[in-house]
Amino acid sequence: MTATPRQRDKVLALVRDSLEPLDAPVIARLLGIHITTARFHLNALIDAGLVEGTWLPSETVGRPRKGYLAVGADPAAPVLAALLAQLGDTPAERHAKAVAAGRMWADSLTGIGAAETDLPDPVTVVTSTLTRLGFQVSQTLSSFGGHEISMCNCPLRRIARDLPEVVAGVQQGMIERALQRHSPTLASQYDVEVRPDATAGDCGVTLRLTSKSPCIAPLTH
């Protein structure tokens, strides 16, 4: 495919002017170009360091949508960082308040699940919830009653760069609440822990579900 600089400039301008990430179908529709052409230009802009990809929440069950935003194009980022810093003077304080925010986030969603008679699979509950919110699940591992869910990207990646404890807290609270909404019994059986994964980028984390039962050994590596 032959690149058209002028057309690529229009794609970049559209992404820069947007207040939120755009996906390729929207860009293609707004510019009157084929979606394949839009993706071609977007990938070229990513290679040039002008655009970065992110994952957008899915409106239906399934994989999240790929979104695009301009690198360093968020003028509200410093204000957001300052506001988040007011959650507490220490990482522990900010983490605790972020856990509460994560629970509120889960409560704001519809269709995330309600209390069930049968005990659902915790991995299915977690991965489906994460996917709906725009997180990308890269791997799951279950062993000896414990479960680990690895994420290599998330919609909170910009916050994670400066305040990882806030993102970890939001994710922890959101998963705890999702488990509770699906089944209070399920929530009572697992402790939720979120820890950074340095090998997976800015928002790479591993979410660990550890069984509270003394009869089941926790997941070990």
Side-chain angles (χ1 to χ4, degrees), residues 11-76:
V11 172
L12 178 58
L14 192 63
V15 174
R16 281 179 171 169
D17 291 342
S18 177
L19 297 178
E20 59 185 3
L22 300 176
D23 61 12
V26 169
I27 292 172
R29 184 174 69 254
L30 292 174
L31 295 180
I33 60 178
H34 194 277
I35 187 172
T36 302
T37 303
R39 289 198 177 105
F40 174 75
H41 290 311
L42 288 165
N43 289 332
L45 291 169
I46 289 177
D47 292 340
L50 299 173
V51 167
E52 62 182 351
T54 187
W55 294 100
L56 306 176
S58 176
E59 298 176 353
T60 59
V61 177
R63 297 184 61 184
R65 298 175 294 129
K66 182 69 173 290
Y68 302 87
L69 65 164
V71 173
D74 186 3

Short mmCIF file of all heavy atoms in Angstrom, two decimals, residues 11-76:
data_model
loop_
_atom_site.label_atom_id
_atom_site.label_comp_id
_atom_site.label_asym_id
_atom_site.label_seq_id
_atom_site.Cartn_x
_atom_site.Cartn_y
_atom_site.Cartn_z
N VAL A 11 -5.14 11.86 9.58
CA VAL A 11 -5.37 10.86 10.62
C VAL A 11 -4.77 11.34 11.94
O VAL A 11 -5.41 11.29 13.00
CB VAL A 11 -4.77 9.50 10.22
CG1 VAL A 11 -4.85 8.52 11.39
CG2 VAL A 11 -5.48 8.93 9.00
N LEU A 12 -3.53 11.84 11.88
CA LEU A 12 -2.86 12.33 13.08
C LEU A 12 -3.61 13.51 13.69
O LEU A 12 -3.80 13.58 14.92
CB LEU A 12 -1.42 12.73 12.76
CG LEU A 12 -0.61 13.30 13.92
CD1 LEU A 12 -0.52 12.30 15.07
CD2 LEU A 12 0.80 13.68 13.45
N ALA A 13 -4.07 14.44 12.85
CA ALA A 13 -4.79 15.60 13.35
C ALA A 13 -6.08 15.18 14.04
O ALA A 13 -6.46 15.75 15.08
CB ALA A 13 -5.08 16.56 12.19
N LEU A 14 -6.75 14.20 13.46
CA LEU A 14 -8.00 13.72 14.05
C LEU A 14 -7.77 13.11 15.43
O LEU A 14 -8.51 13.37 16.38
CB LEU A 14 -8.65 12.70 13.11
CG LEU A 14 -10.09 12.29 13.41
CD1 LEU A 14 -11.02 13.47 13.30
CD2 LEU A 14 -10.52 11.18 12.45
N VAL A 15 -6.71 12.32 15.54
CA VAL A 15 -6.39 11.68 16.82
C VAL A 15 -5.99 12.74 17.85
O VAL A 15 -6.41 12.70 19.01
CB VAL A 15 -5.27 10.65 16.64
CG1 VAL A 15 -4.83 10.09 17.99
CG2 VAL A 15 -5.72 9.51 15.74
N ARG A 16 -5.20 13.71 17.43
CA ARG A 16 -4.75 14.76 18.35
C ARG A 16 -5.88 15.64 18.85
O ARG A 16 -5.88 16.10 19.99
CB ARG A 16 -3.69 15.62 17.66
CG ARG A 16 -2.30 15.00 17.63
CD ARG A 16 -1.32 15.90 16.91
NE ARG A 16 0.05 15.41 17.05
CZ ARG A 16 1.09 15.87 16.38
NH1 ARG A 16 0.92 16.84 15.48
NH2 ARG A 16 2.30 15.38 16.58
N ASP A 17 -6.87 15.88 17.98
CA ASP A 17 -7.96 16.78 18.34
C ASP A 17 -9.03 16.10 19.20
O ASP A 17 -9.88 16.78 19.79
CB ASP A 17 -8.63 17.34 17.08
CG ASP A 17 -7.73 18.31 16.33
OD1 ASP A 17 -6.76 18.80 16.94
OD2 ASP A 17 -8.00 18.56 15.14
N SER A 18 -9.00 14.78 19.25
CA SER A 18 -10.02 14.05 20.00
C SER A 18 -9.73 14.10 21.50
O SER A 18 -8.58 14.01 21.93
CB SER A 18 -10.08 12.59 19.54
OG SER A 18 -11.01 11.86 20.32
N LEU A 19 -10.78 14.24 22.30
CA LEU A 19 -10.65 14.25 23.75
C LEU A 19 -10.60 12.84 24.33
O LEU A 19 -10.39 12.67 25.52
CB LEU A 19 -11.82 15.03 24.37
CG LEU A 19 -11.90 16.51 23.99
CD1 LEU A 19 -13.13 17.15 24.64
CD2 LEU A 19 -10.63 17.24 24.41
N GLU A 20 -10.80 11.85 23.49
CA GLU A 20 -10.76 10.46 23.94
C GLU A 20 -10.17 9.59 22.84
O GLU A 20 -10.13 10.00 21.67
CB GLU A 20 -12.17 9.97 24.29
CG GLU A 20 -13.15 10.04 23.13
CD GLU A 20 -14.55 9.65 23.55
OE1 GLU A 20 -14.78 9.40 24.74
OE2 GLU A 20 -15.42 9.59 22.67
N PRO A 21 -9.67 8.40 23.17
CA PRO A 21 -9.11 7.52 22.15
C PRO A 21 -10.13 7.17 21.07
O PRO A 21 -11.31 7.00 21.35
CB PRO A 21 -8.70 6.27 22.94
CG PRO A 21 -8.53 6.75 24.34
CD PRO A 21 -9.56 7.82 24.54
N LEU A 22 -9.66 7.07 19.84
CA LEU A 22 -10.51 6.72 18.71
C LEU A 22 -10.10 5.35 18.18
O LEU A 22 -8.91 5.01 18.18
CB LEU A 22 -10.39 7.76 17.59
CG LEU A 22 -10.77 9.20 17.93
CD1 LEU A 22 -10.49 10.10 16.73
CD2 LEU A 22 -12.23 9.30 18.33
N ASP A 23 -11.06 4.59 17.68
CA ASP A 23 -10.70 3.32 17.05
C ASP A 23 -10.68 3.49 15.54
O ASP A 23 -11.13 4.51 14.99
CB ASP A 23 -11.65 2.19 17.47
CG ASP A 23 -13.10 2.43 17.08
OD1 ASP A 23 -13.35 3.36 16.28
OD2 ASP A 23 -13.97 1.69 17.55
N ALA A 24 -10.12 2.51 14.85
CA ALA A 24 -9.94 2.60 13.40
C ALA A 24 -11.25 2.77 12.63
O ALA A 24 -11.31 3.56 11.68
CB ALA A 24 -9.17 1.38 12.90
N PRO A 25 -12.33 2.05 13.00
CA PRO A 25 -13.59 2.25 12.26
C PRO A 25 -14.10 3.68 12.34
O PRO A 25 -14.62 4.22 11.34
CB PRO A 25 -14.54 1.27 12.95
CG PRO A 25 -13.66 0.20 13.49
CD PRO A 25 -12.43 0.91 13.93
N VAL A 26 -13.98 4.33 13.49
CA VAL A 26 -14.44 5.72 13.62
C VAL A 26 -13.59 6.64 12.76
O VAL A 26 -14.10 7.52 12.05
CB VAL A 26 -14.38 6.16 15.10
CG1 VAL A 26 -14.59 7.67 15.22
CG2 VAL A 26 -15.44 5.43 15.91
N ILE A 27 -12.28 6.46 12.79
CA ILE A 27 -11.37 7.28 11.99
C ILE A 27 -11.66 7.10 10.51
O ILE A 27 -11.71 8.07 9.74
CB ILE A 27 -9.91 6.94 12.31
CG1 ILE A 27 -9.58 7.37 13.74
CG2 ILE A 27 -8.95 7.60 11.31
CD1 ILE A 27 -8.23 6.92 14.23
N ALA A 28 -11.86 5.86 10.09
CA ALA A 28 -12.15 5.59 8.68
C ALA A 28 -13.44 6.27 8.25
O ALA A 28 -13.53 6.86 7.17
CB ALA A 28 -12.23 4.08 8.46
N ARG A 29 -14.46 6.21 9.10
CA ARG A 29 -15.75 6.82 8.77
C ARG A 29 -15.65 8.35 8.70
O ARG A 29 -16.19 8.97 7.77
CB ARG A 29 -16.80 6.41 9.81
CG ARG A 29 -18.20 6.92 9.47
CD ARG A 29 -19.25 6.39 10.42
NE ARG A 29 -19.13 6.93 11.77
CZ ARG A 29 -18.66 6.26 12.81
NH1 ARG A 29 -18.27 5.00 12.67
NH2 ARG A 29 -18.60 6.82 14.00
N LEU A 30 -14.94 8.95 9.64
CA LEU A 30 -14.83 10.40 9.67
C LEU A 30 -14.03 10.96 8.50
O LEU A 30 -14.31 12.05 7.99
CB LEU A 30 -14.19 10.85 10.99
CG LEU A 30 -15.02 10.64 12.26
CD1 LEU A 30 -14.21 11.00 13.49
CD2 LEU A 30 -16.31 11.46 12.20
N LEU A 31 -13.05 10.19 8.04
CA LEU A 31 -12.20 10.66 6.94
C LEU A 31 -12.63 10.11 5.58
O LEU A 31 -12.06 10.48 4.56
CB LEU A 31 -10.74 10.28 7.21
CG LEU A 31 -10.08 10.95 8.43
CD1 LEU A 31 -8.64 10.49 8.57
CD2 LEU A 31 -10.15 12.48 8.32
N GLY A 32 -13.61 9.22 5.57
CA GLY A 32 -14.08 8.66 4.31
C GLY A 32 -13.06 7.76 3.64
O GLY A 32 -12.94 7.76 2.41
N ILE A 33 -12.30 7.00 4.45
CA ILE A 33 -11.30 6.08 3.90
C ILE A 33 -11.63 4.66 4.35
O ILE A 33 -12.44 4.45 5.25
CB ILE A 33 -9.88 6.46 4.34
CG1 ILE A 33 -9.77 6.43 5.88
CG2 ILE A 33 -9.51 7.84 3.80
CD1 ILE A 33 -8.37 6.75 6.40
N HIS A 34 -10.98 3.69 3.72
CA HIS A 34 -11.20 2.30 4.09
C HIS A 34 -10.57 2.03 5.44
O HIS A 34 -9.54 2.60 5.79
CB HIS A 34 -10.61 1.37 3.02
CG HIS A 34 -11.09 -0.05 3.13
ND1 HIS A 34 -10.53 -0.95 4.00
CD2 HIS A 34 -12.10 -0.70 2.48
CE1 HIS A 34 -11.15 -2.12 3.89
NE2 HIS A 34 -12.11 -1.99 2.97
N ILE A 35 -11.16 1.12 6.22
CA ILE A 35 -10.65 0.83 7.55
C ILE A 35 -9.23 0.27 7.50
O ILE A 35 -8.40 0.54 8.37
CB ILE A 35 -11.60 -0.14 8.29
CG1 ILE A 35 -11.15 -0.31 9.74
CG2 ILE A 35 -11.67 -1.48 7.57
CD1 ILE A 35 -12.14 -1.09 10.58
N THR A 36 -8.93 -0.50 6.44
CA THR A 36 -7.57 -1.02 6.29
C THR A 36 -6.57 0.12 6.10
O THR A 36 -5.45 0.09 6.63
CB THR A 36 -7.49 -1.99 5.09
OG1 THR A 36 -8.44 -3.06 5.29
CG2 THR A 36 -6.10 -2.58 4.96
N THR A 37 -6.97 1.13 5.34
CA THR A 37 -6.11 2.30 5.13
C THR A 37 -5.90 3.04 6.44
O THR A 37 -4.79 3.50 6.75
CB THR A 37 -6.74 3.24 4.09
OG1 THR A 37 -6.95 2.52 2.88
CG2 THR A 37 -5.84 4.43 3.82
N ALA A 38 -6.97 3.17 7.22
CA ALA A 38 -6.87 3.85 8.51
C ALA A 38 -5.89 3.12 9.42
O ALA A 38 -5.03 3.74 10.06
CB ALA A 38 -8.24 3.94 9.17
N ARG A 39 -5.99 1.81 9.48
CA ARG A 39 -5.08 1.03 10.32
C ARG A 39 -3.63 1.14 9.82
O ARG A 39 -2.69 1.19 10.62
CB ARG A 39 -5.52 -0.43 10.36
CG ARG A 39 -6.81 -0.68 11.14
CD ARG A 39 -6.96 -2.14 11.50
NE ARG A 39 -8.15 -2.38 12.30
CZ ARG A 39 -9.26 -2.93 11.85
NH1 ARG A 39 -9.35 -3.30 10.58
NH2 ARG A 39 -10.30 -3.12 12.64
N PHE A 40 -3.45 1.18 8.51
CA PHE A 40 -2.12 1.32 7.93
C PHE A 40 -1.47 2.61 8.40
O PHE A 40 -0.31 2.63 8.84
CB PHE A 40 -2.21 1.28 6.40
CG PHE A 40 -0.91 1.57 5.71
CD1 PHE A 40 0.09 0.62 5.65
CD2 PHE A 40 -0.70 2.80 5.11
CE1 PHE A 40 1.29 0.89 5.02
CE2 PHE A 40 0.50 3.08 4.46
CZ PHE A 40 1.50 2.12 4.42
N HIS A 41 -2.20 3.71 8.33
CA HIS A 41 -1.66 5.00 8.76
C HIS A 41 -1.44 5.03 10.26
O HIS A 41 -0.44 5.58 10.75
CB HIS A 41 -2.59 6.13 8.34
CG HIS A 41 -2.61 6.37 6.86
ND1 HIS A 41 -1.47 6.50 6.10
CD2 HIS A 41 -3.65 6.52 5.99
CE1 HIS A 41 -1.79 6.72 4.84
NE2 HIS A 41 -3.12 6.73 4.75
N LEU A 42 -2.34 4.45 11.01
CA LEU A 42 -2.21 4.43 12.46
C LEU A 42 -0.98 3.64 12.90
O LEU A 42 -0.23 4.06 13.79
CB LEU A 42 -3.47 3.84 13.10
CG LEU A 42 -4.71 4.73 13.05
CD1 LEU A 42 -5.96 3.92 13.35
CD2 LEU A 42 -4.58 5.90 14.03
N ASN A 43 -0.73 2.52 12.25
CA ASN A 43 0.45 1.73 12.57
C ASN A 43 1.73 2.48 12.23
O ASN A 43 2.73 2.41 12.96
CB ASN A 43 0.42 0.39 11.84
CG ASN A 43 -0.64 -0.56 12.39
OD1 ASN A 43 -0.98 -0.48 13.58
ND2 ASN A 43 -1.15 -1.44 11.57
N ALA A 44 1.70 3.21 11.11
CA ALA A 44 2.86 4.01 10.72
C ALA A 44 3.11 5.13 11.73
O ALA A 44 4.26 5.44 12.07
CB ALA A 44 2.66 4.60 9.32
N LEU A 45 2.05 5.72 12.25
CA LEU A 45 2.17 6.78 13.25
C LEU A 45 2.68 6.24 14.59
O LEU A 45 3.40 6.92 15.31
CB LEU A 45 0.82 7.48 13.44
CG LEU A 45 0.35 8.33 12.24
CD1 LEU A 45 -1.10 8.74 12.41
CD2 LEU A 45 1.25 9.55 12.07
N ILE A 46 2.30 5.00 14.91
CA ILE A 46 2.83 4.35 16.11
C ILE A 46 4.33 4.12 15.96
O ILE A 46 5.11 4.39 16.87
CB ILE A 46 2.09 3.02 16.38
CG1 ILE A 46 0.67 3.29 16.87
CG2 ILE A 46 2.85 2.19 17.42
CD1 ILE A 46 -0.15 2.05 17.09
N ASP A 47 4.73 3.63 14.78
CA ASP A 47 6.16 3.40 14.52
C ASP A 47 6.96 4.70 14.60
O ASP A 47 8.14 4.70 14.99
CB ASP A 47 6.35 2.76 13.14
CG ASP A 47 5.81 1.34 13.07
OD1 ASP A 47 5.65 0.72 14.15
OD2 ASP A 47 5.53 0.85 11.95
N ALA A 48 6.31 5.81 14.25
CA ALA A 48 6.98 7.11 14.28
C ALA A 48 6.97 7.73 15.68
O ALA A 48 7.55 8.81 15.89
CB ALA A 48 6.32 8.07 13.29
N GLY A 49 6.31 7.07 16.62
CA GLY A 49 6.26 7.57 17.98
C GLY A 49 5.29 8.71 18.20
O GLY A 49 5.37 9.43 19.20
N LEU A 50 4.34 8.90 17.27
CA LEU A 50 3.39 10.00 17.36
C LEU A 50 2.04 9.58 17.94
O LEU A 50 1.29 10.42 18.43
CB LEU A 50 3.17 10.63 15.98
CG LEU A 50 4.43 11.22 15.32
CD1 LEU A 50 4.12 11.65 13.89
CD2 LEU A 50 4.95 12.40 16.14
N VAL A 51 1.75 8.30 17.86
CA VAL A 51 0.48 7.76 18.32
C VAL A 51 0.75 6.51 19.14
O VAL A 51 1.73 5.79 18.87
CB VAL A 51 -0.45 7.44 17.13
CG1 VAL A 51 -1.65 6.61 17.55
CG2 VAL A 51 -0.93 8.73 16.47
N GLU A 52 -0.08 6.26 20.12
CA GLU A 52 0.04 5.02 20.88
C GLU A 52 -1.31 4.33 20.96
O GLU A 52 -2.36 4.98 20.88
CB GLU A 52 0.58 5.28 22.29
CG GLU A 52 -0.29 6.17 23.16
CD GLU A 52 0.33 6.42 24.51
OE1 GLU A 52 1.34 5.77 24.84
OE2 GLU A 52 -0.19 7.25 25.27
N GLY A 53 -1.26 3.01 21.09
CA GLY A 53 -2.49 2.24 21.15
C GLY A 53 -2.92 2.01 22.59
O GLY A 53 -2.12 2.02 23.51
N THR A 54 -4.21 1.80 22.77
CA THR A 54 -4.77 1.47 24.07
C THR A 54 -5.97 0.57 23.84
O THR A 54 -6.37 0.35 22.69
CB THR A 54 -5.17 2.74 24.85
OG1 THR A 54 -5.56 2.37 26.17
CG2 THR A 54 -6.33 3.46 24.16
N TRP A 55 -6.52 0.03 24.88
CA TRP A 55 -7.68 -0.86 24.74
C TRP A 55 -8.91 -0.18 25.30
O TRP A 55 -8.89 0.37 26.40
CB TRP A 55 -7.43 -2.19 25.45
CG TRP A 55 -6.34 -2.97 24.80
CD1 TRP A 55 -5.05 -3.08 25.21
CD2 TRP A 55 -6.44 -3.73 23.59
NE1 TRP A 55 -4.32 -3.85 24.34
CE2 TRP A 55 -5.15 -4.28 23.33
CE3 TRP A 55 -7.48 -4.00 22.70
CZ2 TRP A 55 -4.89 -5.07 22.23
CZ3 TRP A 55 -7.21 -4.81 21.60
CH2 TRP A 55 -5.93 -5.33 21.38
N LEU A 56 -9.98 -0.20 24.53
CA LEU A 56 -11.23 0.46 24.90
C LEU A 56 -12.23 -0.56 25.40
O LEU A 56 -12.25 -1.71 24.94
CB LEU A 56 -11.81 1.19 23.68
CG LEU A 56 -10.88 2.18 22.98
CD1 LEU A 56 -11.57 2.75 21.75
CD2 LEU A 56 -10.49 3.30 23.93
N PRO A 57 -13.07 -0.18 26.36
CA PRO A 57 -14.09 -1.11 26.86
C PRO A 57 -14.98 -1.61 25.74
O PRO A 57 -15.34 -0.87 24.82
CB PRO A 57 -14.88 -0.26 27.86
CG PRO A 57 -13.93 0.82 28.27
CD PRO A 57 -13.11 1.11 27.04
N SER A 58 -15.34 -2.88 25.83
CA SER A 58 -16.24 -3.47 24.84
C SER A 58 -17.67 -3.29 25.27
O SER A 58 -18.01 -3.48 26.45
CB SER A 58 -15.92 -4.97 24.68
OG SER A 58 -16.83 -5.58 23.80
N GLU A 59 -18.54 -2.89 24.35
CA GLU A 59 -19.95 -2.70 24.66
C GLU A 59 -20.69 -4.03 24.75
O GLU A 59 -21.80 -4.10 25.26
CB GLU A 59 -20.61 -1.81 23.60
CG GLU A 59 -20.00 -0.41 23.56
CD GLU A 59 -20.59 0.44 22.46
OE1 GLU A 59 -21.37 -0.13 21.66
OE2 GLU A 59 -20.28 1.63 22.37
N THR A 60 -20.07 -5.08 24.23
CA THR A 60 -20.66 -6.42 24.30
C THR A 60 -19.60 -7.38 24.80
O THR A 60 -18.42 -7.04 24.94
CB THR A 60 -21.15 -6.88 22.91
OG1 THR A 60 -20.03 -6.89 21.99
CG2 THR A 60 -22.22 -5.94 22.39
N VAL A 61 -20.02 -8.60 25.10
CA VAL A 61 -19.07 -9.61 25.54
C VAL A 61 -18.13 -9.94 24.38
O VAL A 61 -18.56 -10.19 23.26
CB VAL A 61 -19.81 -10.88 26.00
CG1 VAL A 61 -18.81 -11.97 26.38
CG2 VAL A 61 -20.73 -10.56 27.18
N GLY A 62 -16.85 -9.93 24.64
CA GLY A 62 -15.87 -10.21 23.59
C GLY A 62 -14.60 -9.43 23.83
O GLY A 62 -14.40 -8.83 24.88
N ARG A 63 -13.72 -9.46 22.85
CA ARG A 63 -12.44 -8.79 22.98
C ARG A 63 -12.62 -7.28 23.00
O ARG A 63 -13.51 -6.73 22.34
CB ARG A 63 -11.52 -9.18 21.82
CG ARG A 63 -11.17 -10.66 21.77
CD ARG A 63 -10.19 -10.95 20.65
NE ARG A 63 -8.95 -10.21 20.84
CZ ARG A 63 -7.94 -10.22 19.96
NH1 ARG A 63 -8.07 -10.89 18.83
NH2 ARG A 63 -6.85 -9.54 20.20
N PRO A 64 -11.78 -6.55 23.77
CA PRO A 64 -11.87 -5.09 23.78
C PRO A 64 -11.46 -4.50 22.44
O PRO A 64 -10.76 -5.13 21.65
CB PRO A 64 -10.89 -4.68 24.88
CG PRO A 64 -9.91 -5.81 24.95
CD PRO A 64 -10.71 -7.05 24.65
N ARG A 65 -11.91 -3.28 22.16
CA ARG A 65 -11.56 -2.60 20.92
C ARG A 65 -10.21 -1.92 21.05
O ARG A 65 -9.84 -1.46 22.11
CB ARG A 65 -12.63 -1.57 20.57
CG ARG A 65 -14.01 -2.15 20.33
CD ARG A 65 -15.04 -1.03 20.12
NE ARG A 65 -15.23 -0.25 21.33
CZ ARG A 65 -15.17 1.08 21.40
NH1 ARG A 65 -14.87 1.79 20.31
NH2 ARG A 65 -15.37 1.72 22.53
N LYS A 66 -9.48 -1.85 19.94
CA LYS A 66 -8.19 -1.16 19.94
C LYS A 66 -8.44 0.32 19.66
O LYS A 66 -9.11 0.69 18.70
CB LYS A 66 -7.28 -1.74 18.83
CG LYS A 66 -5.88 -1.12 18.76
CD LYS A 66 -5.06 -1.49 19.96
CE LYS A 66 -3.61 -1.02 19.83
NZ LYS A 66 -2.88 -1.80 18.79
N GLY A 67 -7.94 1.17 20.55
CA GLY A 67 -8.07 2.60 20.38
C GLY A 67 -6.72 3.26 20.17
O GLY A 67 -5.68 2.66 20.43
N TYR A 68 -6.74 4.51 19.72
CA TYR A 68 -5.50 5.23 19.43
C TYR A 68 -5.59 6.64 19.99
O TYR A 68 -6.62 7.30 19.93
CB TYR A 68 -5.26 5.30 17.92
CG TYR A 68 -5.18 3.93 17.27
CD1 TYR A 68 -6.34 3.29 16.84
CD2 TYR A 68 -3.96 3.28 17.11
CE1 TYR A 68 -6.29 2.02 16.26
CE2 TYR A 68 -3.90 2.02 16.52
CZ TYR A 68 -5.06 1.41 16.11
OH TYR A 68 -5.00 0.16 15.53
N LEU A 69 -4.48 7.11 20.55
CA LEU A 69 -4.40 8.47 21.06
C LEU A 69 -3.02 9.02 20.80
O LEU A 69 -2.05 8.26 20.66
CB LEU A 69 -4.73 8.53 22.55
CG LEU A 69 -3.81 7.85 23.55
CD1 LEU A 69 -4.09 8.37 24.95
CD2 LEU A 69 -4.03 6.33 23.55
N ALA A 70 -2.92 10.34 20.71
CA ALA A 70 -1.64 10.98 20.42
C ALA A 70 -0.72 10.91 21.62
O ALA A 70 -1.16 11.06 22.76
CB ALA A 70 -1.86 12.43 19.99
N VAL A 71 0.55 10.68 21.38
CA VAL A 71 1.53 10.62 22.46
C VAL A 71 1.68 12.00 23.08
O VAL A 71 1.88 13.00 22.39
CB VAL A 71 2.88 10.14 21.92
CG1 VAL A 71 3.96 10.24 23.01
CG2 VAL A 71 2.77 8.70 21.42
N GLY A 72 1.57 12.07 24.40
CA GLY A 72 1.75 13.33 25.11
C GLY A 72 0.70 14.37 24.79
O GLY A 72 0.94 15.58 24.95
N ALA A 73 -0.48 13.93 24.36
CA ALA A 73 -1.50 14.89 23.91
C ALA A 73 -2.55 15.21 24.96
O ALA A 73 -3.54 15.85 24.66
CB ALA A 73 -2.19 14.35 22.66
N ASP A 74 -2.34 14.75 26.19
CA ASP A 74 -3.34 14.95 27.22
C ASP A 74 -2.96 16.14 28.10
O ASP A 74 -2.17 16.01 29.03
CB ASP A 74 -3.47 13.69 28.08
CG ASP A 74 -4.60 13.79 29.08
OD1 ASP A 74 -5.31 14.80 29.05
OD2 ASP A 74 -4.76 12.86 29.88
N PRO A 75 -3.52 17.32 27.84
CA PRO A 75 -3.16 18.50 28.63
C PRO A 75 -3.65 18.42 30.07
O PRO A 75 -3.18 19.18 30.92
CB PRO A 75 -3.84 19.65 27.87
CG PRO A 75 -5.00 19.00 27.20
CD PRO A 75 -4.53 17.62 26.82
N ALA A 76 -4.59 17.52 30.34
CA ALA A 76 -5.12 17.40 31.69
C ALA A 76 -4.30 16.44 32.55
O ALA A 76 -4.57 16.28 33.74
CB ALA A 76 -6.58 16.92 31.65
#
